[in-house]
Amino acid sequence: MRISVIGCGYLGAVHAACMAELGHDVVGLDVDEDKIAKLAAGVAPFHEPGFDAVLKRGVESGRLGFTTDPAAIADAEIHFIAVGTPQLSGRLGADMSYVAQAVRTIIEHAEPGTERPVLVAGKSTVPVGTAQLISDEFDGSGKNLVLAWNPEFLREGYAVKDTLHPDRIVYGLPDDVAKGEAAREVLNQCYATMLEAETPLVVANYPTAELVKVAANSFLATKISFINAMADLCDATGGDVTRLAEAIGYDDRIGPKFLQAGIGFGGGCLPKDIRAFMARAGELGVDEALTFLREVDTINLRRRDHAVRLAEEVVGGSLSGKKIAVLGITFKPDTDDLRDSPALDIASKLWAAGADLAIVDPAAGDKLRERRPDLRVPETLEEAVTDADAVMILTQWRDFVDLDPTSIRDLVAAPNIIDGRNVLDPKRWSDAGWNYYGMGRGVSIW
Ligand code: UDX
């Protein structure tokens, strides 16, 4: 099939490359010339395991192209909307201007035939109700365009795998049966490989499909804040939240995933999505339904202050002039994404409190140096920990999880390790002479 993907950020670029991998002819459109030049040359503009190979293969096969010229989307049979919906500055809601622009571009440049409509599939995370508005706009455009909402659930670090082998596919279809069937047929053709592999398919109306995405992210955020709340209880009582999570996770109804307590969630999706969801609930007059998400957000942000306070206590009450080595600055491992990173927020707070920081990260060092020239970002972990009063793991990169405690013991000024992600073995570090501090991990002989 001929496919256009509008918006070549994280979601769009990965989606475009994966659609080419499935054998489709794909053109990715974006206004950012630098990004498009890189993608067109087969060079990934961000760090994502496995993406480089899929991108390169697509570009070399001739099935995958990238452009800033909207006229290039004219003959596509499906247009995917994959632009960003970032949080509005100073407000909870989502900025929908990129979606509106993508819709205008499609109306202007798509060339559907009169017989068969052209499908537009929305992937961006949008406030519920958006799909109907876009569909109405298409109806009034005089062009034979049909909209489906087809949310995407990819995680950074697993984006290629999640796109090619999703847990489920969701189609949000219009209430008009003929249009809905037409949309379903085109999507089935597009995702034929996945459907043949028996990927579960959920077909619903527009609002359900829009809500699925924010509901899933809200649930995940709630799970993380729940376990972080339990970490506070563990801190107050001497319990160990990692054991607690393991024990409750054996219950199938709860499950073991997303129960890792620590410095909380961040990134380009969970925080902004729960806030936009609350804002939308307010507009719909059902804000009470989501007041619990306010608490989820608050618990999450409190984790960052908790980590700063812990560091302060560990180094003797005042951070001023104390040397802190921060290991990991991205919002999670296997990405160079710094958006709403709890690690960066904590580092900024430590810095503001006068700490002498040294930060290392396997993927985001250069980005951080560029963005925050005021922060010190040494090349090596050894340099960062030298003379440190405390070492803090804030992102659980494999290199840090596997770190041999004896290898850096003699470099630090004081052997204090703060495990912001609860990924280290406290006994191993204590046995090597370190003072271990976790997030809700009381000292236990068991
Ligand atoms: C998330 C959703 O998982 C994905 O389905 C959606 O499409 C986009 O948003 P992503 O932002 O890539 O994906 O990251 P995710 O793996 O969900 O992690 C989000 C944050 O939660 C990270 O900061 C991570 O460190 C944190 N987290 C995750 C925890 O603190 N504890 C956990 O147990 C799990």
Side-chain angles (χ1 to χ4, degrees), residues 64-65 67 80 154 185 192 231 274 289 312 318-319 325 339 370 411:
L64 178 62
T67 180
F80 282 102
L154 62 82
E185 204 181 298
I274 62 168
E312 203 170 54
S318 165
L319 286 160
R339 282 178 297 170
E370 211 172 280
L411 297 176

Side-chain angles (χ1 to χ4, degrees), residues 347-360:
S348 302
K349 288 182 161 123
L350 294 170
W351 183 84
D356 173 11
L357 285 189
I359 303 170
V360 276

Side-chain angles (χ1 to χ4, degrees), residues 10 125 152-158 162 168 213 216-217 220-221 223-225 227-228 256-271 273 300 304 330-333 335 337 339-342 394-396 420-421:
Y10 201 84
T125 303
E152 184 60 54
F153 305 97
L154 62 82
R155 297 160 297 170
E156 295 190 18
Y158 300 89
D162 285 350
R168 75 295 211 187
K213 173 68 195 215
N217 278 355
L220 295 173
K223 228 178 154 184
I224 300 169
S225 279
I227 202 66
N228 277 326
K257 294 182 181 163
F258 271 66
L259 285 181
Q260 201 165 347
I263 60 172
F265 60 81
C269 291
L270 297 193
D273 286 356
N300 189 52
R304 304 177 183 189
T330 52
F331 84 97
K332 67 175 197 179
T335 173
D337 200 339
R339 282 178 297 170
D340 207 340
S341 167
L394 296 185
T395 313
Q396 68 276 39
R421 295 291 189 171

Side-chain angles (χ1 to χ4, degrees), residues 234-250:
C234 287
D235 270 335
T237 55
D240 180 346
V241 74
T242 63
R243 291 290 165 80
L244 183 149
E246 183 191 349
I248 63 171
Y250 283 124

